[in-house]
Amino acid sequence: MYIKMATLANGQADNASLSTNGLGSSPGSAGHMNGLSHSPGNPSTIPMKDHDAIKLFIGQIPRNLDEKDLKPLFEEFGKIYELTVLKDRFTGMHKGCAFLTYCERESALKAQSALHEQKTLPGMNRPIQVKPADSESRGDRKLFVGMLNKQQSEDDVRRLFEAFGNIEECTILRGPDGNSKGCAFVKYSSHAEAQAAINALHGSQTMPGASSSLVVKFADTDKERTMRRMQQMAGQMGMFNPMAIPFGAYGAYAQALMQQQAALMASVAQGGYLNPMAAFAAAQMQQMAALNMNGLAAAPMTPTSGGSTPPGITAPAVPSIPSPIGVNGFTGLPPQANGQPAAEAVFANGIHPYPAQSPTAADPLQQAYAGVQQYAGPAYPAAYGQISQAFPQPPPMIPQQQREGPEGCNLFIYHLPQEFGDAELMQMFLPFGFVSFDNPASAQTAIQAMNGFQIGMKRLKVQLKRPKDANRPY
DNA sequence: TTTCATT
Protein backbone atom coordinates (compact mmCIF):
# COMPACT_ATOMS: atom_id res chain seq x y z
CA MET A 1 0.00 0.00 0.00
CA TYR A 2 2.70 2.47 -0.68
CA ILE A 3 3.68 4.13 -3.81
CA LYS A 4 6.03 2.16 -5.86
CA MET A 5 9.23 4.07 -6.08
CA ALA A 6 11.03 3.85 -9.31
CA THR A 7 14.76 3.91 -9.27
CA LEU A 8 15.83 7.08 -7.63
CA ALA A 9 19.23 8.50 -8.09
CA ASN A 10 21.11 9.85 -5.09
CA GLY A 11 20.08 7.14 -2.69
CA GLN A 12 16.90 8.80 -1.50
CA ALA A 13 15.10 5.56 -0.87
CA ASP A 14 14.98 6.05 2.87
CA ASN A 15 13.37 9.34 2.46
CA ALA A 16 10.79 7.85 0.18
CA SER A 17 9.63 5.22 2.59
CA LEU A 18 9.30 7.80 5.33
CA SER A 19 7.24 10.13 3.29
CA THR A 20 4.20 8.00 2.85
CA ASN A 21 3.19 8.31 6.43
CA GLY A 22 2.45 11.87 5.83
CA LEU A 23 3.02 14.66 8.22
CA GLY A 24 5.95 16.80 8.99
CA SER A 25 8.30 15.66 6.31
CA SER A 26 9.05 19.06 5.08
CA PRO A 27 10.76 21.64 7.23
CA GLY A 28 10.10 25.15 6.16
CA SER A 29 6.74 24.44 4.63
CA ALA A 30 4.50 24.38 7.66
CA GLY A 31 1.53 26.62 7.34
CA HIS A 32 1.18 26.37 3.60
CA MET A 33 -2.27 24.97 3.50
CA ASN A 34 -2.81 25.36 -0.12
CA GLY A 35 -0.80 26.03 -3.15
CA LEU A 36 2.73 27.06 -3.20
CA SER A 37 5.44 25.19 -1.45
CA HIS A 38 8.96 26.21 -0.70
CA SER A 39 11.95 24.10 -1.18
CA PRO A 40 12.50 21.80 1.75
CA GLY A 41 15.25 22.83 4.06
CA ASN A 42 15.88 26.11 2.35
CA PRO A 43 13.15 28.54 3.30
CA SER A 44 15.02 31.55 2.13
CA THR A 45 14.96 30.46 -1.48
CA ILE A 46 12.34 32.20 -3.55
CA PRO A 47 10.66 29.41 -5.47
CA MET A 48 11.60 29.55 -9.09
CA LYS A 49 10.69 27.10 -11.72
CA ASP A 50 12.48 26.04 -14.81
CA HIS A 51 11.59 27.84 -17.95
CA ASP A 52 10.54 24.48 -19.36
CA ALA A 53 8.80 23.20 -16.24
CA ILE A 54 5.84 20.93 -16.80
CA LYS A 55 2.52 21.38 -15.08
CA LEU A 56 1.22 17.99 -14.09
CA PHE A 57 -2.34 16.93 -13.73
CA ILE A 58 -2.91 14.62 -10.77
CA GLY A 59 -6.01 12.50 -10.91
CA GLN A 60 -7.72 9.86 -8.81
CA ILE A 61 -7.05 11.62 -5.56
CA PRO A 62 -9.30 10.73 -2.62
CA ARG A 63 -11.42 13.75 -1.80
CA ASN A 64 -10.33 13.81 1.77
CA LEU A 65 -6.74 14.61 0.86
CA ASP A 66 -5.76 18.22 0.56
CA GLU A 67 -2.54 19.95 -0.42
CA LYS A 68 -0.78 19.28 2.83
CA ASP A 69 -1.61 15.59 2.61
CA LEU A 70 -0.43 15.35 -0.95
CA LYS A 71 2.71 17.36 -0.64
CA PRO A 72 4.84 14.71 1.08
CA LEU A 73 3.93 12.26 -1.61
CA PHE A 74 5.23 14.44 -4.38
CA GLU A 75 8.11 16.13 -2.67
CA GLU A 76 10.08 12.97 -3.04
CA PHE A 77 10.71 13.81 -6.63
CA GLY A 78 11.83 17.35 -6.25
CA LYS A 79 11.05 20.82 -5.07
CA ILE A 80 7.43 21.70 -5.53
CA TYR A 81 6.72 25.04 -7.10
CA GLU A 82 2.96 24.86 -6.86
CA LEU A 83 0.40 22.28 -5.82
CA THR A 84 -3.28 23.05 -6.06
CA VAL A 85 -6.21 20.80 -5.42
CA LEU A 86 -9.05 21.58 -7.79
CA LYS A 87 -12.27 22.60 -6.13
CA ASP A 88 -15.73 23.28 -7.41
CA ARG A 89 -16.17 26.96 -7.86
CA PHE A 90 -19.59 27.07 -6.23
CA THR A 91 -19.46 24.44 -3.54
CA GLY A 92 -15.78 24.34 -2.83
CA MET A 93 -15.98 20.62 -3.17
CA HIS A 94 -12.77 18.76 -3.82
CA LYS A 95 -12.84 17.58 -7.41
CA GLY A 96 -10.56 14.64 -6.87
CA CYS A 97 -7.70 16.05 -8.86
CA ALA A 98 -4.93 18.61 -8.64
CA PHE A 99 -2.28 20.51 -10.54
CA LEU A 100 1.32 20.14 -9.61
CA THR A 101 4.31 22.05 -10.89
CA TYR A 102 7.81 21.21 -9.82
CA CYS A 103 10.54 23.76 -9.89
CA GLU A 104 12.46 21.51 -12.18
CA ARG A 105 11.26 19.83 -15.28
CA GLU A 106 13.20 16.72 -14.43
CA SER A 107 11.25 16.29 -11.18
CA ALA A 108 8.00 16.19 -13.09
CA LEU A 109 9.29 13.53 -15.40
CA LYS A 110 10.49 11.47 -12.47
CA ALA A 111 7.19 11.81 -10.64
CA GLN A 112 5.25 10.86 -13.72
CA SER A 113 7.23 7.73 -14.40
CA ALA A 114 7.22 6.70 -10.76
CA LEU A 115 3.61 7.39 -9.95
CA HIS A 116 1.39 7.44 -13.00
CA GLU A 117 -0.97 4.48 -12.81
CA GLN A 118 1.42 2.84 -10.37
CA LYS A 119 -0.75 2.88 -7.31
CA THR A 120 -4.36 3.25 -6.31
CA LEU A 121 -4.93 5.62 -3.44
CA PRO A 122 -7.23 4.46 -0.64
CA GLY A 123 -10.87 4.58 -1.60
CA MET A 124 -10.20 4.97 -5.30
CA ASN A 125 -10.95 2.30 -7.82
CA ARG A 126 -8.56 3.49 -10.43
CA PRO A 127 -4.84 4.17 -10.17
CA ILE A 128 -3.45 7.63 -9.57
CA GLN A 129 -2.88 9.76 -12.66
CA VAL A 130 0.24 11.85 -12.98
CA LYS A 131 0.69 13.37 -16.39
CA PRO A 132 1.11 16.70 -18.09
CA ALA A 133 -1.98 18.87 -17.75
CA ASP A 134 -4.11 19.50 -20.79
CA SER A 135 -2.87 23.06 -20.81
CA GLU A 136 0.60 21.73 -21.55
CA SER A 137 -0.35 19.95 -24.68
CA ARG A 138 -0.65 21.40 -28.07
CA GLY A 139 -3.60 20.68 -30.21
CA ASP A 140 -6.20 17.98 -30.44
CA ARG A 141 -4.62 14.59 -30.35
CA LYS A 142 -7.11 12.46 -28.54
CA LEU A 143 -9.46 10.32 -30.53
CA PHE A 144 -12.76 8.78 -29.73
CA VAL A 145 -13.11 5.36 -31.25
CA GLY A 146 -16.60 3.99 -31.53
CA MET A 147 -18.23 0.86 -32.86
CA LEU A 148 -15.60 -1.46 -31.51
CA ASN A 149 -16.31 -5.04 -30.76
CA LYS A 150 -17.00 -5.37 -27.07
CA GLN A 151 -14.46 -8.16 -26.84
CA GLN A 152 -11.63 -5.99 -28.08
CA SER A 153 -8.99 -5.12 -25.52
CA GLU A 154 -6.68 -2.16 -25.14
CA ASP A 155 -4.01 -4.17 -26.90
CA ASP A 156 -6.29 -4.92 -29.81
CA VAL A 157 -7.02 -1.25 -30.20
CA ARG A 158 -3.37 -0.35 -29.89
CA ARG A 159 -2.49 -2.75 -32.64
CA LEU A 160 -5.07 -1.13 -34.84
CA PHE A 161 -3.79 2.36 -34.21
CA GLU A 162 -0.06 2.04 -33.68
CA ALA A 163 0.79 2.30 -37.34
CA PHE A 164 -0.21 5.96 -37.38
CA GLY A 165 1.91 7.32 -34.60
CA ASN A 166 3.04 7.12 -31.04
CA ILE A 167 0.16 6.21 -28.76
CA GLU A 168 0.38 7.89 -25.37
CA GLU A 169 -2.88 6.56 -24.03
CA CYS A 170 -5.30 3.90 -25.01
CA THR A 171 -8.37 3.26 -22.90
CA ILE A 172 -11.39 1.12 -23.51
CA LEU A 173 -14.47 2.61 -21.92
CA ARG A 174 -16.03 0.19 -19.54
CA GLY A 175 -19.12 0.06 -17.43
CA PRO A 176 -19.01 -0.56 -13.69
CA ASP A 177 -19.07 -4.28 -14.37
CA GLY A 178 -15.92 -3.99 -16.43
CA ASN A 179 -17.67 -4.73 -19.69
CA SER A 180 -16.52 -2.77 -22.67
CA LYS A 181 -18.90 -0.12 -23.90
CA GLY A 182 -17.61 -0.69 -27.38
CA CYS A 183 -15.64 2.49 -27.55
CA ALA A 184 -12.25 3.80 -26.57
CA PHE A 185 -10.01 6.82 -26.34
CA VAL A 186 -6.69 6.84 -28.12
CA LYS A 187 -4.24 9.65 -27.58
CA TYR A 188 -1.35 10.26 -29.90
CA SER A 189 1.69 12.43 -29.37
CA SER A 190 0.59 14.82 -32.03
CA HIS A 191 -2.42 16.13 -33.83
CA ALA A 192 -1.02 15.02 -37.15
CA GLU A 193 -0.77 11.42 -36.03
CA ALA A 194 -4.33 11.51 -34.78
CA GLN A 195 -5.51 12.97 -38.05
CA ALA A 196 -3.70 10.29 -39.98
CA ALA A 197 -5.47 7.62 -37.95
CA ILE A 198 -8.82 9.21 -38.66
CA ASN A 199 -8.12 9.35 -42.35
CA ALA A 200 -7.05 5.75 -42.49
CA LEU A 201 -9.45 4.11 -40.07
CA HIS A 202 -12.72 5.98 -39.83
CA GLY A 203 -15.39 3.90 -41.52
CA SER A 204 -12.73 1.56 -42.82
CA GLN A 205 -14.19 -1.63 -41.39
CA THR A 206 -17.05 -3.03 -39.40
CA MET A 207 -16.19 -4.98 -36.29
CA PRO A 208 -18.06 -8.23 -35.71
CA GLY A 209 -21.14 -7.46 -33.69
CA ALA A 210 -20.96 -3.72 -34.25
CA SER A 211 -23.98 -2.04 -35.75
CA SER A 212 -22.00 0.09 -38.13
CA SER A 213 -18.52 0.76 -39.33
CA LEU A 214 -15.70 1.89 -37.10
CA VAL A 215 -15.91 5.45 -35.86
CA VAL A 216 -12.67 7.35 -35.44
CA LYS A 217 -12.89 11.02 -34.62
CA PHE A 218 -11.50 13.61 -32.27
CA ALA A 219 -12.91 13.22 -28.80
CA ASP A 220 -15.52 15.65 -27.59
CA THR A 221 -14.38 19.08 -26.63
CA ASP A 222 -15.23 20.49 -23.23
CA LYS A 223 -18.20 22.29 -24.66
CA GLU A 224 -19.53 19.23 -26.38
CA ARG A 225 -19.08 17.24 -23.25
CA THR A 226 -20.88 19.77 -21.16
CA MET A 227 -23.72 19.81 -23.61
CA ARG A 228 -23.89 16.05 -23.57
CA ARG A 229 -24.02 16.01 -19.82
CA MET A 230 -26.66 18.64 -19.72
CA GLN A 231 -28.77 16.58 -22.02
CA GLN A 232 -28.38 13.57 -19.80
CA MET A 233 -29.15 15.56 -16.73
CA ALA A 234 -32.08 17.29 -18.33
CA GLY A 235 -33.52 13.87 -18.96
CA GLN A 236 -32.94 12.73 -15.44
CA MET A 237 -34.30 15.85 -13.85
CA GLY A 238 -37.22 16.25 -16.18
CA MET A 239 -35.98 19.55 -17.41
CA PHE A 240 -35.57 20.84 -20.87
CA ASN A 241 -33.32 19.71 -23.56
CA PRO A 242 -30.78 21.98 -25.19
CA MET A 243 -31.65 20.34 -28.47
CA ALA A 244 -34.74 22.49 -28.35
CA ILE A 245 -32.63 25.51 -29.11
CA PRO A 246 -32.86 25.28 -32.87
CA PHE A 247 -36.60 25.51 -32.52
CA GLY A 248 -36.17 29.14 -31.76
CA ALA A 249 -39.17 29.93 -29.67
CA TYR A 250 -38.90 26.94 -27.46
CA GLY A 251 -35.20 27.43 -27.34
CA ALA A 252 -35.74 30.86 -25.94
CA TYR A 253 -38.30 29.48 -23.61
CA ALA A 254 -36.08 26.66 -22.46
CA GLN A 255 -33.18 28.99 -22.11
CA ALA A 256 -35.11 31.39 -19.99
CA LEU A 257 -36.25 28.56 -17.85
CA MET A 258 -32.77 27.23 -17.59
CA GLN A 259 -31.29 30.50 -16.52
CA GLN A 260 -34.00 31.01 -13.98
CA GLN A 261 -33.54 27.52 -12.66
CA ALA A 262 -29.84 28.07 -12.48
CA ALA A 263 -30.25 31.34 -10.66
CA LEU A 264 -32.76 29.84 -8.30
CA MET A 265 -30.66 26.85 -7.54
CA ALA A 266 -27.54 28.85 -7.11
CA SER A 267 -29.27 31.18 -4.68
CA VAL A 268 -30.66 28.27 -2.77
CA ALA A 269 -27.23 26.76 -2.61
CA GLN A 270 -25.70 30.00 -1.45
CA GLY A 271 -28.47 30.58 1.01
CA GLY A 272 -27.33 27.81 3.23
CA TYR A 273 -29.63 25.02 2.17
CA LEU A 274 -26.72 23.41 0.58
CA ASN A 275 -27.61 20.39 -1.38
CA PRO A 276 -24.66 19.13 -3.38
CA MET A 277 -26.87 17.89 -6.17
CA ALA A 278 -28.66 21.19 -6.50
CA ALA A 279 -25.42 23.09 -6.42
CA PHE A 280 -23.97 20.79 -8.99
CA ALA A 281 -26.96 21.16 -11.22
CA ALA A 282 -26.82 24.90 -10.83
CA ALA A 283 -23.21 24.97 -11.89
CA GLN A 284 -23.97 22.81 -14.89
CA MET A 285 -26.88 24.95 -15.88
CA GLN A 286 -24.92 28.11 -15.60
CA GLN A 287 -22.24 26.62 -17.75
CA MET A 288 -24.81 25.70 -20.26
CA ALA A 289 -26.50 29.03 -20.21
CA ALA A 290 -23.10 30.49 -20.92
CA LEU A 291 -22.66 28.10 -23.81
CA ASN A 292 -26.01 29.11 -25.16
CA MET A 293 -25.05 32.73 -25.13
CA ASN A 294 -21.89 31.82 -26.83
CA GLY A 295 -22.22 30.42 -30.27
CA LEU A 296 -25.27 28.30 -29.86
CA ALA A 297 -27.43 31.20 -28.88
CA ALA A 298 -30.99 30.78 -29.93
CA ALA A 299 -32.66 34.02 -29.07
CA PRO A 300 -31.64 36.94 -26.96
CA MET A 301 -33.31 36.96 -23.61
CA THR A 302 -36.14 39.35 -23.30
CA PRO A 303 -34.75 41.95 -21.02
CA THR A 304 -36.84 43.31 -18.26
CA SER A 305 -36.41 46.84 -17.18
CA GLY A 306 -36.31 46.34 -13.45
CA GLY A 307 -32.92 45.24 -12.28
CA SER A 308 -34.22 42.68 -9.84
CA THR A 309 -36.98 41.29 -11.98
CA PRO A 310 -36.24 37.82 -13.19
CA PRO A 311 -36.09 37.59 -16.95
CA GLY A 312 -39.44 36.63 -18.34
CA ILE A 313 -40.93 35.96 -21.67
CA THR A 314 -43.98 37.85 -22.56
CA ALA A 315 -46.22 37.55 -25.50
CA PRO A 316 -49.14 39.79 -26.27
CA ALA A 317 -52.61 38.36 -26.33
CA VAL A 318 -54.05 37.74 -29.73
CA PRO A 319 -57.78 37.56 -29.54
CA SER A 320 -58.29 36.90 -33.23
CA ILE A 321 -57.17 33.30 -33.08
CA PRO A 322 -59.87 30.91 -31.97
CA SER A 323 -58.70 28.59 -29.29
CA PRO A 324 -60.06 26.37 -26.58
CA ILE A 325 -57.65 27.83 -24.08
CA GLY A 326 -58.12 31.35 -25.11
CA VAL A 327 -54.59 32.04 -25.64
CA ASN A 328 -51.90 34.47 -26.16
CA GLY A 329 -48.47 33.44 -27.12
CA PHE A 330 -47.11 31.71 -30.13
CA THR A 331 -50.08 32.15 -32.32
CA GLY A 332 -49.95 35.88 -32.05
CA LEU A 333 -48.45 36.97 -35.32
CA PRO A 334 -49.99 39.94 -36.96
CA PRO A 335 -50.73 38.56 -40.43
CA GLN A 336 -49.42 41.60 -42.19
CA ALA A 337 -46.13 41.70 -40.36
CA ASN A 338 -43.15 41.85 -42.61
CA GLY A 339 -40.28 43.98 -43.69
CA GLN A 340 -37.48 43.10 -41.33
CA PRO A 341 -34.40 41.21 -42.32
CA ALA A 342 -34.40 37.54 -41.40
CA ALA A 343 -34.46 36.86 -37.72
CA GLU A 344 -30.77 36.25 -37.42
CA ALA A 345 -30.81 36.59 -33.69
CA VAL A 346 -33.19 33.73 -33.43
CA PHE A 347 -31.55 31.41 -35.88
CA ALA A 348 -28.07 32.42 -34.99
CA ASN A 349 -26.61 29.04 -35.66
CA GLY A 350 -27.27 29.31 -39.33
CA ILE A 351 -30.50 27.40 -39.37
CA HIS A 352 -33.24 29.04 -41.33
CA PRO A 353 -36.51 27.24 -41.25
CA TYR A 354 -38.02 29.19 -44.04
CA PRO A 355 -36.97 31.60 -46.72
CA ALA A 356 -35.87 35.01 -45.77
CA GLN A 357 -39.01 37.03 -45.36
CA SER A 358 -39.54 37.59 -41.74
CA PRO A 359 -42.01 39.33 -39.52
CA THR A 360 -41.44 42.20 -37.27
CA ALA A 361 -41.94 41.14 -33.73
CA ALA A 362 -40.67 42.62 -30.57
CA ASP A 363 -40.51 39.33 -28.81
CA PRO A 364 -38.17 36.48 -29.62
CA LEU A 365 -40.93 33.99 -29.19
CA GLN A 366 -42.99 35.74 -31.76
CA GLN A 367 -40.08 36.13 -34.06
CA ALA A 368 -39.29 32.50 -33.86
CA TYR A 369 -42.75 31.30 -34.57
CA ALA A 370 -43.77 33.96 -36.91
CA GLY A 371 -42.81 32.00 -39.96
CA VAL A 372 -44.82 28.99 -39.00
CA GLN A 373 -47.80 31.05 -38.18
CA GLN A 374 -47.66 32.81 -41.48
CA TYR A 375 -48.38 29.54 -43.14
CA ALA A 376 -50.77 28.33 -40.55
CA GLY A 377 -53.46 30.71 -41.61
CA PRO A 378 -56.31 31.68 -39.41
CA ALA A 379 -57.58 28.29 -38.35
CA TYR A 380 -56.18 25.39 -36.37
CA PRO A 381 -53.30 27.08 -34.71
CA ALA A 382 -50.59 24.59 -34.10
CA ALA A 383 -49.42 25.55 -30.68
CA TYR A 384 -50.28 27.65 -27.74
CA GLY A 385 -48.32 29.09 -24.93
CA GLN A 386 -48.92 30.90 -21.76
CA ILE A 387 -45.57 31.92 -20.60
CA SER A 388 -45.84 35.40 -19.33
CA GLN A 389 -45.19 34.49 -15.74
CA ALA A 390 -41.91 35.44 -14.25
CA PHE A 391 -41.23 31.76 -13.82
CA PRO A 392 -42.79 30.10 -16.78
CA GLN A 393 -44.71 26.90 -16.61
CA PRO A 394 -44.57 24.37 -19.38
CA PRO A 395 -47.12 25.14 -22.04
CA PRO A 396 -50.36 23.36 -21.35
CA MET A 397 -51.08 20.09 -23.04
CA ILE A 398 -53.32 20.49 -26.00
CA PRO A 399 -55.91 17.85 -26.66
CA GLN A 400 -54.82 16.13 -29.81
CA GLN A 401 -58.14 14.84 -30.94
CA GLN A 402 -60.28 17.15 -33.01
CA ARG A 403 -57.32 19.19 -34.05
CA GLU A 404 -57.38 17.91 -37.55
CA GLY A 405 -58.32 19.90 -40.57
CA PRO A 406 -60.02 18.71 -43.73
CA GLU A 407 -58.44 16.13 -45.99
CA GLY A 408 -55.29 17.44 -47.61
CA CYS A 409 -54.73 20.00 -44.91
CA ASN A 410 -52.90 17.91 -42.37
CA LEU A 411 -49.22 17.35 -42.18
CA PHE A 412 -47.23 14.75 -40.47
CA ILE A 413 -43.74 15.63 -39.36
CA TYR A 414 -41.11 12.96 -39.05
CA HIS A 415 -37.70 13.07 -37.48
CA LEU A 416 -38.48 15.16 -34.49
CA PRO A 417 -35.50 14.53 -32.25
CA GLN A 418 -35.96 11.37 -30.24
CA GLU A 419 -34.14 13.01 -27.35
CA PHE A 420 -37.42 14.59 -26.44
CA GLY A 421 -38.34 11.43 -24.68
CA ASP A 422 -39.78 12.56 -21.41
CA ALA A 423 -43.28 13.62 -20.73
CA GLU A 424 -42.63 17.32 -20.52
CA LEU A 425 -40.79 17.44 -23.75
CA MET A 426 -43.54 15.48 -25.34
CA GLN A 427 -45.96 18.05 -24.08
CA MET A 428 -43.87 20.72 -25.64
CA PHE A 429 -43.46 19.14 -28.99
CA LEU A 430 -46.48 17.00 -29.54
CA PRO A 431 -48.38 19.96 -30.89
CA PHE A 432 -45.92 20.04 -33.74
CA GLY A 433 -46.32 16.41 -34.62
CA PHE A 434 -49.44 17.23 -36.53
CA VAL A 435 -50.05 20.50 -38.16
CA SER A 436 -53.32 21.34 -39.70
CA PHE A 437 -54.41 24.07 -42.01
CA ASP A 438 -57.71 25.25 -43.30
CA ASN A 439 -56.82 24.91 -46.92
CA PRO A 440 -54.59 22.71 -49.05
CA ALA A 441 -52.62 25.62 -50.44
CA SER A 442 -51.43 26.64 -47.01
CA ALA A 443 -50.51 23.08 -46.23
CA GLN A 444 -48.47 22.85 -49.39
CA THR A 445 -46.77 26.11 -48.60
CA ALA A 446 -45.84 24.78 -45.19
CA ILE A 447 -44.38 21.65 -46.72
CA GLN A 448 -42.32 23.70 -49.09
CA ALA A 449 -41.06 25.82 -46.25
CA MET A 450 -40.49 23.31 -43.54
CA ASN A 451 -39.55 20.07 -45.19
CA GLY A 452 -35.85 19.58 -44.69
CA PHE A 453 -35.64 22.09 -41.86
CA GLN A 454 -32.57 21.06 -40.00
CA ILE A 455 -32.74 20.35 -36.30
CA GLY A 456 -29.43 19.39 -34.86
CA MET A 457 -28.11 16.65 -37.08
CA LYS A 458 -31.50 15.75 -38.49
CA ARG A 459 -33.84 17.19 -41.01
CA LEU A 460 -37.56 17.34 -40.59
CA LYS A 461 -39.61 15.36 -43.02
CA VAL A 462 -42.87 17.12 -43.64
CA GLN A 463 -45.52 15.63 -45.84
CA LEU A 464 -49.25 15.37 -46.06
CA LYS A 465 -50.72 13.14 -43.44
CA ARG A 466 -52.09 10.02 -45.10
CA PRO A 467 -55.84 9.53 -45.16
CA LYS A 468 -57.07 7.28 -42.41
CA ASP A 469 -57.29 4.03 -44.35
CA ALA A 470 -54.58 4.70 -46.88
CA ASN A 471 -52.05 2.50 -45.17
CA ARG A 472 -54.03 -0.70 -45.08
CA PRO A 473 -52.83 -2.76 -47.99
CA TYR A 474 -54.88 -5.86 -47.17
C1' DT B 1 -20.54 4.71 -28.89
C1' DT B 2 -17.84 10.39 -25.31
C1' DT B 3 -14.16 9.15 -19.90
C1' DC B 4 -12.61 10.38 -13.65
C1' DA B 5 -11.17 14.95 -12.70
C1' DT B 6 -8.09 20.00 -16.36
C1' DT B 7 -7.48 26.00 -12.25
Side-chain angles (χ1 to χ4, degrees):
Chain A
M1 271 298 269
Y2 64 92
I3 305 231
K4 173 182 156 196
M5 305 300 292
T7 317
L8 279 181
N10 308 338
Q12 291 183 344
D14 287 349
N15 234 348
S17 59
L18 284 177
S19 74
T20 49
N21 55 19
L23 304 173
S25 67
S26 158
S29 66
H32 288 282
M33 295 297 288
N34 52 356
L36 189 138
S37 224
H38 293 281
S39 54
N42 192 358
S44 63
T45 303
I46 298 170
M48 280 298 297
K49 64 178 172 69
D50 284 358
H51 176 64
D52 57 356
I54 302 168
K55 176 175 278 197
L56 295 173
F57 172 80
I58 316 293
Q60 295 298 320
I61 304 171
R63 291 174 202 259
N64 58 345
L65 299 188
D66 64 16
E67 284 88 353
K68 76 170 167 8
D69 302 314
L70 296 168
K71 200 158 87 83
L73 213 59
F74 295 106
E75 268 177 348
E76 300 312 317
F77 305 96
K79 286 182 286 187
I80 291 172
Y81 175 75
E82 185 176 49
L83 172 61
T84 315
V85 165
L86 271 52
K87 303 210 167 81
D88 183 274
R89 105 179 53 151
F90 295 104
T91 65
M93 265 170 59
H94 193 304
K95 289 173 113 166
C97 54
F99 286 121
L100 165 65
T101 310
Y102 286 99
C103 297
E104 296 176 21
R105 178 186 178 85
E106 189 58 29
S107 308
L109 296 174
K110 274 199 292 191
Q112 181 178 5
S113 75
L115 299 177
H116 181 62
E117 302 224 292
Q118 295 304 124
K119 172 193 167 58
T120 301
L121 265 11
M124 298 289 104
N125 38 19
R126 303 196 49 197
I128 191 171
Q129 305 291 104
V130 179
K131 57 192 185 185
D134 284 351
S135 59
E136 302 288 290
S137 93
R138 63 295 171 200
D140 256 4
R141 35 195 262 260
K142 189 167 191 175
L143 299 179
F144 170 79
V145 183
M147 289 295 146
L148 288 168
N149 181 317
K150 288 189 172 33
Q151 312 307 123
Q152 283 176 297
S153 70
E154 265 84 358
D155 280 349
D156 294 327
V157 174
R158 259 176 203 279
R159 273 193 284 279
L160 200 55
F161 284 80
E162 65 192 0
F164 307 97
N166 179 47
I167 298 175
E168 288 186 10
E169 268 180 49
C170 175
T171 319
I172 304 271
L173 272 61
R174 298 180 188 281
D177 49 2
N179 292 149
S180 167
K181 291 164 117 172
C183 54
F185 291 110
V186 173
K187 187 150 138 196
Y188 283 102
S189 296
S190 73
H191 179 79
E193 291 168 323
Q195 187 62 62
I198 292 175
N199 295 159
L201 294 176
H202 179 66
S204 64
Q205 54 196 294
T206 300
M207 298 301 174
S211 57
S212 78
S213 64
L214 192 66
V215 170
V216 182
K217 53 198 288 205
F218 288 111
D220 275 358
T221 63
D222 282 350
K223 274 190 185 183
E224 291 163 328
R225 233 163 97 195
T226 303
M227 291 301 281
R228 191 184 301 277
R229 286 203 187 147
M230 281 308 305
Q231 289 179 45
Q232 285 175 293
M233 180 154 37
Q236 287 166 13
M237 298 177 59
M239 290 182 308
F240 299 100
N241 192 307
M243 284 300 289
I245 287 161
F247 277 103
Y250 277 142
Y253 170 77
Q255 190 180 345
L257 198 138
M258 211 155 52
Q259 290 192 330
Q260 290 166 11
Q261 286 271 9
L264 252 188
M265 298 171 97
S267 70
V268 167
Q270 286 160 10
Y273 303 96
L274 189 100
N275 168 339
M277 271 314 293
F280 169 72
Q284 290 287 324
M285 294 183 95
Q286 288 185 349
Q287 276 185 48
M288 182 152 130
L291 285 177
N292 284 341
M293 303 309 289
N294 216 341
L296 289 171
M301 297 314 302
T302 312
T304 47
S305 41
S308 62
T309 312
I313 300 176
T314 56
V318 178
S320 63
I321 311 264
S323 143
I325 354 182
V327 177
N328 48 24
F330 301 145
T331 56
L333 177 74
Q336 73 280 18
N338 63 25
Q340 286 291 318
E344 292 295 346
V346 174
F347 300 101
N349 50 7
I351 295 170
H352 293 267
Y354 46 87
Q357 88 283 34
S358 176
T360 302
D363 183 277
L365 283 173
Q366 274 195 299
Q367 287 191 354
Y369 267 92
V372 173
Q373 293 307 323
Q374 275 182 310
Y375 302 115
Y380 303 108
Y384 307 95
Q386 276 182 312
I387 46 176
S388 52
Q389 300 100 322
F391 291 88
Q393 303 296 309
M397 178 69 115
I398 294 121
Q400 289 303 296
Q401 63 280 32
Q402 301 161 340
R403 301 227 47 83
E404 222 169 277
E407 196 75 30
C409 299
N410 304 301
L411 308 185
F412 190 79
I413 303 179
Y414 297 87
H415 301 165
L416 286 173
Q418 43 79 252
E419 291 87 355
F420 304 142
D422 73 58
E424 272 170 316
L425 289 171
M426 285 308 287
Q427 282 185 3
M428 285 177 90
F429 288 98
L430 225 43
F432 297 96
F434 291 93
V435 181
S436 300
F437 297 88
D438 68 340
N439 68 81
S442 292
Q444 287 301 330
T445 310
I447 292 173
Q448 294 304 313
M450 295 301 291
N451 193 27
F453 173 27
Q454 186 166 348
I455 300 170
M457 297 303 295
K458 301 161 88 181
R459 290 182 183 279
L460 288 184
K461 176 177 169 187
V462 182
Q463 62 180 43
L464 280 179
K465 182 176 177 291
R466 310 176 95 179
K468 292 214 167 5
D469 43 2
N471 51 358
R472 298 181 198 280
Y474 309 115

